[in-house]
């Protein structure tokens, strides 16, 4: 695969900072509707958290936890918006006066079914940026999983 030169990386990745208000609020300034959000409270020892369009707003991943997914409902991210995202009142994402950061990636919008591998997956892929979000259910055997990029990924987070 020939790599694409990206003249403006903020079209595919952008960081935003905010201060929690303890209620609900919209976080803007991302520049696009994010498909994967990696958030963190900068004032506290709360967990990092990931929300993505493939799993939806009611499911988050906590990278240091042993569970596959956390389903807290829509209490951190409540929606993916055209220029950012909206938050609920969960203190991991919106504690009053605490400072937060979110790293935001643009994949390919809503997930679509991908049967390129042995296991059918749900994928949101951005071939220009070389980034995709994949959800699948393993079958207990060595298998391949489609990712929608059209080339072998350089690295994978599972």
């Amino acid at each position: 695969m020939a790599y694409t030169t990206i003249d403006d990386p903020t079209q595919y990745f952008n960081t935003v900072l905010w201060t929690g208000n303890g209620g609900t609020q919209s976080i803007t300034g991302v520049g696009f509707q994010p498909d994967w959000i990696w958030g963190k409270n900068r004032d506290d020892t709360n967990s990092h958290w990931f929300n993505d369009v493939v799993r939806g707003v009611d499911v988050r991943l906590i990278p240091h936890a042993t569970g596959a997914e956390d389903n807290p409902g829509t209490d951190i991210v409540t929606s993916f918006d055209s220029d950012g995202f909206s938050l609920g009142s969960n203190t991991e994402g919106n504690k009053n006066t605490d400072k937060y950061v979110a790293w935001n990636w643009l994949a390919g919008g809503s997930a679509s079914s991908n049967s390129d591998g042995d296991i059918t997956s749900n994928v949101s892929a951005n071939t220009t940026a070389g980034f995709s979000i994949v959800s699948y259910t393993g079958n207990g055997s060595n298998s391949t999983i489609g990712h929608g990029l059209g080339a072998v990924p350089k690295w994978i987070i599972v």
Side-chain angles (χ1 to χ4, degrees):
M1 170 179 144
Y3 291 100
T4 302
T5 300
I6 296 175
D7 294 327
D8 183 3
T10 62
Q11 292 180 354
Y12 307 100
F13 170 83
N14 208 350
T15 303
V16 290
L17 303 173
W18 72 94
T19 301
N21 68 8
T24 61
Q25 66 174 312
S26 294
I27 307 304
T28 60
V30 173
F32 52 84
Q33 181 171 319
D35 295 318
W36 189 42
I37 303 167
W38 177 345
K40 174 71 173 104
N41 182 329
R42 298 183 300 144
D43 287 339
D44 206 336
T45 59
N46 289 352
S47 304
H48 291 251
W49 46 267
F50 305 152
N51 277 86
D52 66 74
V53 297
V54 174
R55 286 163 191 81
V57 293
D58 0 341
V59 178
R60 67 180 172 196
L61 303 174
I62 300 175
H64 73 276
T66 58
E69 296 175 333
D70 183 33
N71 191 343
T74 56
D75 64 343
I76 291 184
V77 174
T78 59
S79 64
F80 299 96
D81 304 331
S82 63
D83 185 31
F85 52 94
S86 293
L87 298 168
S89 59
N90 187 301
T91 58
E92 288 186 35
N94 201 14
K95 184 178 179 181
N96 193 37
T97 71
D98 277 8
K99 307 283 190 266
Y100 293 87
V101 61
W103 301 276
N104 303 275
W105 281 263
L106 178 65
S110 299
S112 58
S113 182
N114 183 308
S115 57
D116 289 342
D118 300 330
I119 296 174
T120 299
S121 57
N122 291 310
V123 176
S124 175
N126 182 329
T127 56
T128 301
F131 175 74
S132 70
I133 304 163
V134 180
S135 178
Y136 68 93
T137 301
N139 61 13
S141 300
N142 290 336
S143 300
T144 57
I145 300 156
H147 48 71
L149 294 176
V152 176
K154 295 293 181 188
W155 62 281
I156 299 170
I157 298 173
V158 179

